[in-house]
Amino acid sequence: RHSHSASEMPNSQKRKATGAPAPRRCPPPRMEYRARSDEAWYGARVVVQDGWLRVMFENFPEDADEWYNPGADLSSPGDVDALRARFRRACPALDDAHCGDLRPGDQLCLACDMHGGEIKYYDAVLEAVEKAPHGTVDGEERCACRFTVCWTEGPRRGCSDKVGVEVVYCVLESPIQDPVLTEFLDDVRNRFGDDQEEATAVSQQAAPSGEEEIALVSSLTSHELLE
């Protein structure tokens, strides 16, 4: 899934590659990324290049890549957590034979028709399942059920629709396991901890200790009594 034409890619912050050649764009991505400009989900992979995190979209040219500069884009632990939340494991298509496994409240990712043949992917919550007898096509089971969903993202956010199995993908709850992304984000976040420790140390050095404060007060008191 997530095979769009390059013209459909939203404008985003870009940075030309320098130094090492661009990494190969295979195998298929194991994760998805929510783009900053349109908040839609895309298949993606990441590499760290020149100290920046480079997000490479599946089936898009290099000039569509998004870049994150740790110094400018990730200036707080909250920024790191927000970026981490933009990634997740790739969502598998709902298997026709397993539609009965869905329950109201399940989080789904749906193909959203943006008109003009453009398809983007946004999240929704399942509200109800309208059961229907399954058929068989070329020896394979085909689900005919209808799913009432409420969009939580995208242009139809807050709206309810009935959709078929062909546009439904299952959001996996297990955490993403990408060593490049994890190492990059953990390293950036740990720097904030180091900075905080340094700031605390400097503050403690600048402020007088408890014994110094007592000595200072005692000295002042003695001086006042002499006067």
Side-chain angles (χ1 to χ4, degrees), residues 51-63:
W52 293 45
L53 181 71
R54 180 181 183 182
V55 183
M56 301 181 294
F57 295 91
E58 178 186 10
N59 298 326
F60 287 98
E62 290 183 7
D63 61 2

Side-chain angles (χ1 to χ4, degrees), residues 59-162:
N59 298 326
F60 287 98
E62 290 183 7
D63 61 2
D65 295 351
E66 288 191 4
W67 297 78
Y68 285 88
N69 177 358
D73 300 318
L74 305 173
S75 58
S76 71
D79 291 339
V80 178
D81 294 341
L83 176 55
R84 196 188 302 270
R86 285 189 173 274
F87 293 90
R88 69 185 181 194
R89 292 180 60 189
C91 298
L94 174 61
D95 191 303
D96 293 65
H98 293 152
C99 64
D101 295 341
L102 294 181
R103 297 291 182 271
D106 285 351
Q107 184 178 0
L108 306 172
C109 187
L110 307 178
C112 181
D113 186 355
M114 306 296 289
H115 306 297
E118 184 179 11
I119 299 294
K120 293 187 178 183
Y121 294 84
Y122 293 102
D123 283 0
V125 172
L126 179 66
E127 294 184 330
V129 178
E130 185 179 313
K131 300 286 187 179
H134 288 196
T136 303
V137 177
D138 296 330
E140 295 185 1
E141 184 175 350
R142 286 292 182 265
C143 173
C145 302
R146 302 292 289 175
F147 307 90
T148 301
V149 299
C150 180
W151 296 89
T152 57
E153 300 174 343
R156 293 193 57 74
R157 181 177 180 177
C159 298
S160 293
D161 284 322
K162 281 189 177 183

Side-chain angles (χ1 to χ4, degrees), residues 209-220:
S209 66
E211 293 181 355
E212 290 173 340
E213 289 179 347
I214 294 173
L216 178 60
V217 171
S218 176
S219 175
L220 290 173

